[in-house]
């Protein structure tokens, strides 16, 4: 029956009877403005309390602060019988502030030893359940104090992480102070002594469940004294004497479930336990290598009503055999068993315990990810985890989600996952389940499911599936969470989904970009993981032209510069620099390049990052400066901020670093060297020698950027002399003739042409060389070698017969054939200064036939229709009167045939570009 309530509607100044959301409301007066003007303080108290119960503690506090009525209702004892503080900062101060509300607190979850120390300050004497994780540093003293203050405690769980500083003394204190204890789970206690176990047996008569996991030693004989015990786990424990253990434990009168997973138990001990234990129903032995090596295919999973859970058999089928009718539930017993009428209470408890130990064991096995368990994960492990996701126990759901996040990962550092496992999750409906749980109001579950979604989305097929069913919108919403862990995992999911081009637009449409930018402003610089993931996702998104504009509009430039400037975490610095590099990479389509350069502190921060000890940071910072240098103002600002010295230093130090860093260091210097002033400054800062060294690389990308920088530097006569002095001629000759990159060969040829066009003859001194004397910079031998190889380069693009036909006929077809054969597409991206254009024209007018041919070839590249700067170069050539010089070169009887053809093609290009401009 729909419950009715009365609510004051300020629109009408009177009370109206309104049915709740279970009934249809068709009154036209109901619209959004009505709801905005509702006086929520007139809601019934129980309704408000129910609303409070759906909120996390932070939101409860915010709502409670709005008025006195909500403050009183927000303090209702029923809202404070359970606290999950794992995702909050919980210290003594926070405990004191909560203590007035925790009089009736019964269940508490916390994280970390600092939080454990603060539990006493809650003054919650009625606590019955305490659960903590990440308690590596928790001590005996803290455990003893907690036990002494909470004598009504029924359940204490510390794990699954190891508690290295807890000893048997803490267990004895628990036994003495907590006589009502029913469940005790401790992980990583190095030694559990007989005295401690006997204290539990003597003082805790209601103890039904004990788990001493990941221990070095347990007194197995003493465990036989826990006569009330129904469920026992020693998973991951070493050094147990299985002969005596199996004999003693099989005599425990009430033992229903035993977990020996990841131990060295033998086949004979398992047979003894199954055959001798009177009430034992479930024996879990997952990933027990000794047993698995001994077992044969004939071992049945059911032995006189007892089931054995191992990786060797069908676990779902084994659990289903506990019920009278197994045929209906074999495939989904974990999802449907609660619908069955189970008269046996022990059986119900047993299935709950099975869920717990399976989630725990599968999570631990997934952490280690042994390769030999591949068949298990693909055949049934993935399905088991998905069944456990549907558990009614939040702990089980969380561990299942954690295991799903972990078991697909092959190499965490390189973000590599097992696609078969990921797709097994998707094929069994796992993505829908995870996205559904991600909308839970429980932040711990949100965090773990978001982590699983993030890891699974590394696989492109799964990523597509996530996007198709609304996963991007869910992750974008989670990225807005006030809980750092939730936001962190959601940002990681958006980071993975933003790889490639397929989902970038969807992320922007879902508001993901704004959420990511807000994350950077929301969390302090100490939150390295969330900041790295947010910056990484923005870096991927910034690679898309439209998304890069959205990033800038959302304040992303300021946010990223803030990270690059103030954050000290190298991963964050690397992703922030990469994001700025990508934002600056769209110079032709938007103005982000200029915007980044104009952001206060941006250039200085990137320059400083080139000095980082972390190669990835240097790599991305150099790439960002390279991209930014394409803007004229940025280029000069980088130089003014010390960028030349920094990048020369980087080029000098990166000879043993990655090819990517070498390419970007040389590329950034190439970009800066477009300016004549910067050219001179780079030479004076010692930039020539490291660029020559990088030009000797066998990697095309590296020697191509180094050749580009040397080409620009060679335009300055002093730098040309330095190139010869430092042995650069032979390096450029090798590139000119042997590089697989046409672009590198082209720029090496131009550099050699600049060096030997006669300008160096005017220089008498360029400064002392390292040896103390200037080398002969106009060596006839070096010049002859250079010119000969320039000639070979120019002639390599066609044959003499084709050139002859083109010169004789001047037919468009023949000229086009030569032009297309000679065209270097990347050269159309280059922009030459007015001084360089004049130099090419001067070489065409006054120099040797080889340099004339090289000049005409270069002008052909720069004026080809469709080139980025073809119009610019055409204007410059028209301005300096180049058409007349070109016509003379094309008609000169003594000119080489290549010069004539290239000159004719350039003239045709000028006419074409002029008509296009008109």
């Amino acid at each position: 029956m729909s419950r009715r309530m009365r609510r004051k509607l300020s629109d009408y100044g009177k009370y109206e009877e309104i049915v709740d959301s279970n009934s249809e409301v068709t009154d036209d007066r109901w619209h959004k403005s009505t709801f905005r003007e509702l006086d929520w303080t007139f809601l019934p108290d129980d309704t408000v309390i129910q609303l409070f119960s759906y909120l996390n503690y932070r939101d409860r506090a915010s709502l409670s602060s709005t008025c006195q009525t909500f403050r009183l209702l927000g303090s209702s004892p029923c809202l404070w019988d359970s606290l999950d503080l794992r995702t909050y900062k919980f210290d003594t101060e926070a405990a004191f502030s909560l203590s007035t509300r925790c009089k009736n607190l019964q269940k508490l979850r916390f994280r970390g030893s600092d939080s454990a120390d603060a539990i006493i300050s809650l003054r919650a004497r009625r606590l019955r359940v305490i659960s903590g994780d990440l308690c590596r540093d928790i001590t005996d003293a803290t455990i003893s104090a907690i036990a002494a203050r909470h004598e009504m405690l029924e359940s204490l769980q510390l794990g699954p992480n190891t508690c290295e500083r807890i000893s048997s003394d803490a267990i004895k204190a628990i036994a003495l102070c907590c006589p009502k204890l029913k469940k005790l789970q401790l992980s990583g206690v190095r030694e559990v002594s007989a005295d401690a176990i006997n204290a539990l047996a003597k003082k805790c008569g209601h103890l039904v469940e004990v788990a001493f996991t990941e221990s070095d030693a347990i007194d197995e004989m003493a465990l036989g004294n826990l006569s009330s015990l129904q469920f026992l786990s020693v998973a991951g424990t070493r050094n147990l004497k299985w002969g005596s253990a199996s004999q003693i434990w099989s005599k425990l009168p009430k033992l229903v479930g035993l977990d020996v997973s990841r131990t060295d138990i033998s086949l004979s001990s398992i047979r003894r336990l199954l055959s001798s234990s009177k009430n034992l129903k479930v024996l879990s032995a997952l990933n027990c290598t000794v047993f698995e090596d001994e077992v044969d295919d004939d071992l049945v999973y059911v032995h006189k009503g007892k089931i054995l859970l191992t990786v060797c058999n069908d676990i779902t089928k084994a659990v289903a055999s506990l019920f009278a009718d197994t045929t209906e539930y074999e495939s989904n017993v974990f999802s449907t068993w609660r619908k069955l009428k189970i008269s046996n209470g022990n059986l119900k408890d047993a299935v709950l315990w099975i869920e717990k130990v399976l989630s725990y064991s599968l999570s631990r096995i997934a952490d280690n990810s042994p390769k030999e368990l591949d068949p298990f994960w693909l055949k049934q492990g993935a399905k088991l985890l998905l069944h456990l996701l549907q558990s009614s126990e939040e702990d089980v759901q969380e561990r299942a989600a954690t295991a799903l996040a972990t078991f697909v990962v092959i190499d965490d550092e390189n973000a590599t996952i097992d696609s078969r496992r990921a797709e097994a999750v998707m094929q069994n409906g796992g993505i829908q389940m995870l996205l559904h749980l991600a909308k839970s109001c429980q932040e711990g579950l949100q965090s773990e499911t978001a982590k699983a979604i993030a890891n699974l989305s590394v696989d492109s097929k799964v990523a597509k599936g996530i996007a198709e069913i609304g996963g991007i919108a869910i992750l974008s919403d989670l990225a807005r969470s006030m809980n750092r862990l939730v936001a962190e995992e959601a940002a990681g999911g958006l980071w993975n989904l933003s790889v490639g081009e397929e989902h970038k637009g969807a992320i922007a449409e879902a508001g993901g970009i704004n959420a990511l930018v807000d994350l950077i402003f929301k969390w302090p610089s100490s939150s390295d993981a969330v900041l790295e993931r947010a910056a990484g996702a923005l870096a991927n998104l910034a690679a898309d032209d439209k998304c890069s504009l959205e990033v800038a509009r959302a304040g992303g430039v300021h946010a990223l510069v803030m990270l690059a400037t103030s954050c000290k975490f190298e991963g964050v610095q690397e992703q922030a620099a990469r994001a700025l590099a990508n934002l600056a990479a769209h110079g032709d389509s938007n103005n982000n390049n200029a915007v980044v350069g104009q952001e206060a502190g941006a250039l200085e921060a990137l320059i400083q990052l080139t000095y980082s000890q972390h190669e990835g940071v240097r790599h991305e910072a150099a790439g960002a400066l390279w991209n930014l240098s394409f803007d004229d103002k940025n280029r000069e600002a980088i130089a003014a901020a010390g960028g030349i010295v920094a990048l020369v230093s980087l080029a000098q130090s990166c000879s043993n670093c990655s090819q990517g860093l070498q390419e970007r260091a040389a590329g950034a210097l190439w970009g800066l060297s477009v300016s004549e002033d910067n050219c001179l400054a780079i030479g004076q800062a010692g930039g020539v020698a490291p660029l020559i060294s990088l030009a000797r690389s066998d990697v095309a990308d590296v020697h191509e950027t180094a050749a580009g920088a040397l080409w620009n530097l060679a335009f300055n006569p002093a730098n040309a002399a330095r190139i010869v002095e430092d042995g650069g001629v032979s390096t450029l000759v090798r590139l000119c003739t042997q590089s697989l990159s046409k672009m590198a060969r082209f720029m090496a040829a131009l550099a050699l042409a600049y060096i030997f066009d006669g300008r160096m003859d005017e220089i008498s001194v360029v400064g002392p060389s390292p040896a103390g004397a200037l080398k002969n910079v106009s060596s006839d031998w070096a010049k002859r070698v250079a010119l000969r190889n320039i000639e070979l380069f120019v002639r390599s693009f066609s044959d003499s017969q084709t050139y002859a036909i083109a010169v004789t006929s001047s037919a468009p077809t023949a000229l086009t054939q030569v032009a297309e054969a000679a065209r270097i597409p990347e050269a159309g991206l280059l922009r030459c200064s007015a001084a360089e254009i004049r130099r090419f024209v001067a070489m065409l007018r006054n120099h040797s036939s080889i340099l004339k041919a090289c000049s005409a070839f270069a002008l052909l590249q720069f004026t080809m229709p469709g080139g980025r700067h073809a119009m610019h170069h055409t204007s410059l050539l028209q301005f300096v009167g180049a058409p007349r010089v070109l016509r003379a070169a094309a008609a000169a009887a003594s000119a080489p045939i290549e010069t004539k053809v290239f000159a004719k093609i350039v003239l045709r290009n000028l006419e074409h570009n002029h008509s296009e401009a008109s």
Side-chain angles (χ1 to χ4, degrees):
M1 182 176 69
S2 296
R3 176 171 166 272
R4 293 179 179 268
M5 60 179 134
R6 291 192 178 271
R7 183 179 302 154
K8 185 178 180 181
L9 300 183
S10 58
D11 274 5
Y12 308 109
K14 61 181 181 180
Y15 288 94
E16 297 281 351
E17 188 174 63
I18 307 298
V19 295
D20 70 3
S21 59
N22 292 323
S23 301
E24 290 188 12
V25 178
T26 58
D27 195 329
D28 292 337
R29 294 174 299 174
W30 283 97
H31 48 78
K32 292 182 179 179
S33 61
T34 301
F35 282 102
R36 283 198 296 269
E37 297 178 19
L38 284 174
D39 187 345
W40 295 97
T41 60
F42 279 84
L43 286 171
D45 291 355
D46 57 345
T47 302
V48 175
I49 291 173
Q50 185 69 21
L51 290 173
F52 268 105
S53 70
Y54 290 120
L55 301 177
N56 59 47
Y57 308 119
R58 185 185 295 104
D59 292 340
R60 287 184 195 178
S62 297
L63 187 56
S64 295
S65 67
T66 57
C67 66
Q68 185 175 1
T69 301
F70 282 4
R71 187 178 301 114
L72 291 172
L73 293 175
S75 300
S76 301
C78 62
L79 293 172
W80 298 94
D81 61 351
S82 176
L83 274 178
D84 184 354
L85 299 172
R86 290 174 298 163
T87 56
Y88 300 88
K89 181 182 180 181
F90 179 58
D91 53 18
T92 302
E93 182 181 352
F96 273 121
S97 68
L98 288 170
S99 61
T100 57
R101 303 181 181 185
C102 293
K103 182 179 178 180
N104 297 313
L105 185 65
Q106 296 189 24
K107 183 177 180 180
L108 173 68
R109 303 186 73 180
F110 69 93
R111 174 165 289 161
S113 55
D114 291 341
S115 296
D117 292 333
I119 290 175
I120 305 301
S121 300
L122 279 175
R123 302 173 186 172
R125 301 300 294 267
R126 298 183 182 181
L127 263 175
R128 284 175 167 78
V129 178
I130 296 178
S131 174
D133 57 26
L134 297 181
C135 296
R136 182 181 299 274
D137 296 324
I138 197 169
T139 63
D140 285 351
T142 300
I143 295 297
S144 299
I146 291 173
R149 295 292 185 94
H150 303 96
E151 61 275 5
M152 299 181 70
L153 198 64
E154 295 178 0
S155 174
L156 176 62
Q157 174 182 317
L158 299 177
N161 315 91
T162 57
C163 305
E164 297 177 344
R165 299 177 65 183
I166 293 181
S167 71
S168 293
D169 291 339
I171 299 174
K172 286 188 279 187
I174 294 167
L176 292 171
C177 299
C178 305
K180 296 186 177 182
L181 194 69
K182 295 180 181 179
K183 297 181 180 180
L184 177 64
Q185 177 177 325
L186 300 176
S187 179
V189 180
R190 292 185 178 180
E191 181 180 1
V192 183
S193 68
D195 288 345
I197 296 172
N198 289 333
L200 290 171
K202 183 178 180 180
K203 300 292 183 178
C204 303
H206 304 287
L207 196 63
V208 296
E209 182 177 334
V210 166
F212 294 132
T213 58
E214 320 302 329
S215 296
D216 289 335
I218 299 175
D219 192 301
E220 60 273 357
M221 300 293 287
L223 284 174
N225 297 327
L226 297 174
S227 57
S228 61
L229 206 61
Q230 295 180 24
F231 301 100
L232 172 63
S233 175
V234 291
T237 294
R238 298 160 289 279
N239 304 314
L240 284 168
K241 300 179 180 65
W242 284 108
S244 56
S246 58
Q247 184 178 0
I248 296 295
W249 298 351
S250 64
K251 296 177 182 179
L252 284 168
K254 297 182 179 180
L255 188 66
V256 174
L258 175 61
D259 181 17
V260 297
S261 299
R262 294 176 294 106
T263 65
D264 57 358
I265 191 170
S266 63
L267 175 60
S268 60
S269 296
I270 284 181
R271 290 188 185 278
R272 183 182 295 113
L273 285 165
L274 288 173
S275 60
S276 303
S277 298
K278 182 179 179 181
N279 290 312
L280 185 69
K281 287 189 174 296
V282 183
L283 177 57
S284 178
L286 296 171
N287 197 208
C288 296
T289 54
V290 174
F291 160 71
E292 289 162 8
D293 287 341
E294 295 176 342
V295 73
D296 54 43
D297 294 337
D298 296 330
L299 182 69
V300 294
Y301 55 82
V302 181
H303 183 86
K304 296 182 179 179
K306 301 176 176 66
I307 64 170
L308 175 63
L309 308 180
T310 79
V311 297
C312 307
N313 60 30
D314 189 326
I315 292 174
T316 303
K317 197 170 186 178
V319 177
S321 69
L322 291 172
F323 304 101
D325 183 4
T326 63
T327 57
E328 185 178 351
Y329 303 106
E330 284 183 359
S331 63
N332 60 350
V333 62
F334 288 102
S335 306
T336 60
W337 71 268
R338 292 175 194 82
K339 300 176 185 177
L340 302 176
K341 293 181 179 180
I342 302 176
S343 57
N344 188 336
N346 285 343
L347 181 56
K348 179 179 178 180
D349 291 340
V351 179
L352 285 170
W353 180 81
I354 289 171
E355 287 186 341
K356 184 192 301 184
V357 298
L358 279 178
S359 65
Y360 179 85
S361 290
L362 292 176
S363 179
R364 299 293 297 197
I365 294 169
D367 276 338
N368 299 324
S369 192
K371 192 66 179 175
E372 59 270 18
L373 289 185
D374 270 357
F376 165 75
W377 287 120
L378 295 174
K379 185 177 181 181
Q380 61 172 321
K383 290 182 181 179
L384 279 172
L385 290 175
L386 296 180
H387 288 320
L388 295 173
L389 275 183
Q390 302 169 69
S391 171
S392 60
E393 300 296 312
E394 188 182 334
D395 284 355
V396 172
Q397 289 180 313
E398 282 190 27
R399 278 197 291 267
T402 302
L404 283 169
T406 307
F407 95 113
V408 296
V409 177
I410 298 173
D411 183 352
D412 191 29
E413 186 174 344
N414 295 309
T416 306
I417 69 168
D418 188 315
S419 294
R420 296 174 305 162
R421 296 183 185 183
E423 289 166 21
V425 174
M426 182 173 68
Q427 290 165 3
N428 288 283
I431 303 304
Q432 291 92 330
M433 292 182 200
L434 287 166
L435 291 174
H436 174 72
L437 290 176
K439 294 186 285 187
S440 163
C441 60
Q442 302 298 326
E443 292 178 331
L445 193 53
Q446 287 178 349
S447 173
E448 296 307 315
T449 52
K451 181 192 297 183
I453 294 166
N455 287 358
L456 288 162
S457 65
V458 174
D459 180 84
S460 59
K461 291 182 181 178
V462 178
K464 184 178 180 180
I466 291 170
E468 287 175 347
I469 58 176
I472 288 176
I474 292 173
L475 288 173
S476 297
D477 287 340
L478 291 178
R480 298 182 180 92
S481 172
M482 293 300 294
N483 184 296
R484 181 179 61 81
L485 294 177
V486 175
E488 177 183 314
E489 299 302 344
L494 293 174
W495 189 3
N496 289 339
L497 285 165
S498 62
V499 173
E501 302 304 316
E502 192 172 359
H503 309 301
K504 286 183 171 68
I507 293 173
E509 290 174 8
I513 290 176
N514 286 291
L516 291 165
V517 172
D518 288 345
L519 273 183
I520 295 175
F521 292 119
K522 186 184 299 182
W523 301 106
S525 58
S526 59
S527 304
D528 59 315
V530 66
L531 294 176
E532 180 180 7
R533 295 174 191 200
L538 289 173
N540 288 347
L541 292 163
D544 177 81
D545 185 24
K546 292 182 180 179
C547 289
S548 73
L549 289 171
E550 291 294 327
V551 172
R553 276 195 286 265
V557 174
H558 180 65
L560 293 163
V561 170
M562 181 183 71
L563 291 183
T565 303
S566 60
C567 189
K568 303 304 179 186
F569 295 102
E570 292 168 339
V572 179
Q573 293 174 340
E574 180 178 356
Q575 296 307 322
R578 185 169 73 91
L580 291 170
N582 287 344
L583 283 170
H586 305 282
D588 288 343
S589 56
N590 61 53
N591 65 342
N592 280 350
N593 191 305
V595 169
V596 173
Q598 292 165 9
E599 180 69 30
L603 301 180
E604 291 81 359
L606 290 167
I607 290 168
Q608 190 58 40
L609 291 181
T610 64
Y611 293 105
S612 171
Q613 298 298 309
H614 188 273
E615 183 174 324
V617 176
R618 301 197 302 274
H619 177 284
E620 299 300 345
L625 291 170
W626 184 8
N627 288 347
L628 289 164
S629 69
F630 284 90
D631 179 84
D632 294 339
K633 292 182 179 178
N634 286 344
R635 188 184 309 121
E636 304 312 317
I638 291 169
I644 287 176
V645 173
L647 289 166
V648 168
S649 175
L650 182 61
Q652 290 169 338
S653 64
C654 71
S655 57
N656 295 321
C657 297
S658 68
Q659 297 166 1
L661 177 56
Q662 293 175 353
E663 177 193 6
R664 283 158 177 77
L669 288 172
W670 182 11
L672 291 178
S673 65
V674 171
S675 161
E676 292 185 49
D677 290 340
N678 289 348
C679 252
L680 182 59
I682 291 170
Q684 292 172 342
V688 171
L691 286 168
I692 291 172
S693 177
L694 292 174
R696 295 188 181 114
S697 171
D698 291 330
V699 179
D701 289 339
V702 177
H703 67 234
E704 189 174 285
T705 53
L710 289 171
W711 165 42
N712 285 346
L713 291 176
F715 186 77
N716 178 275
N719 285 334
R722 290 186 180 97
I723 292 172
V724 178
E725 179 183 341
D726 291 332
V729 172
S730 60
T731 301
L732 291 169
V733 165
R734 186 176 73 87
L735 286 182
C736 185
T737 56
Q738 298 180 23
S739 175
L740 297 178
S741 164
K742 287 184 179 180
M743 191 68 171
R745 292 168 59 202
F746 173 55
M747 291 185 294
L750 293 184
L752 290 170
Y754 283 169
I755 292 171
F756 295 110
D757 68 354
R759 290 172 302 151
M760 283 197 308
D761 297 337
E762 303 171 4
I763 302 176
S764 58
V765 177
V766 295
S769 68
L774 182 66
K775 296 180 181 179
N776 182 4
V777 296
S778 57
S779 165
D780 291 339
W781 175 84
K783 185 173 183 177
R784 286 196 302 273
V785 170
L787 294 178
R788 183 170 66 250
N789 282 280
I790 292 172
E791 182 180 16
L792 292 173
F793 165 75
V794 171
R795 289 181 174 177
S796 66
F797 289 92
S798 193
D799 56 78
S800 57
Q801 183 178 359
T802 303
Y803 283 134
I805 295 172
V807 168
T808 302
S809 67
S810 295
T813 303
L815 292 176
T816 299
Q817 183 180 354
V818 174
E820 289 304 319
R823 184 172 190 170
I824 302 173
E826 297 88 347
L829 303 176
L830 300 175
R831 179 174 180 173
C832 293
S833 66
E836 287 180 290
I837 292 294
R838 288 193 186 95
R839 196 65 207 160
F840 284 123
V841 174
M843 282 195 287
L844 193 60
R845 182 190 295 116
N846 300 323
H847 283 277
S848 67
S849 59
I850 295 173
L851 291 182
K852 285 183 178 181
C854 182
S855 173
F857 180 83
L859 292 175
L860 179 152
Q861 304 300 328
F862 300 144
T863 58
M864 284 295 285
R868 179 184 295 177
H869 302 294
M871 297 296 184
H872 169 78
H873 295 144
T874 296
S875 299
L876 290 177
L877 286 167
Q878 297 284 5
F879 178 74
V880 299
R884 179 174 56 80
V885 178
L886 288 163
R887 282 192 288 271
S894 61
I897 192 170
E898 297 88 0
T899 303
K900 294 180 180 181
V901 175
F902 294 150
K904 288 185 177 184
I905 295 172
V906 174
L907 285 168
R908 188 184 65 168
N909 290 346
L910 294 179
E911 292 175 2
H912 178 276
N913 293 336
H914 180 72
S915 63
E916 285 289 318
S918 300

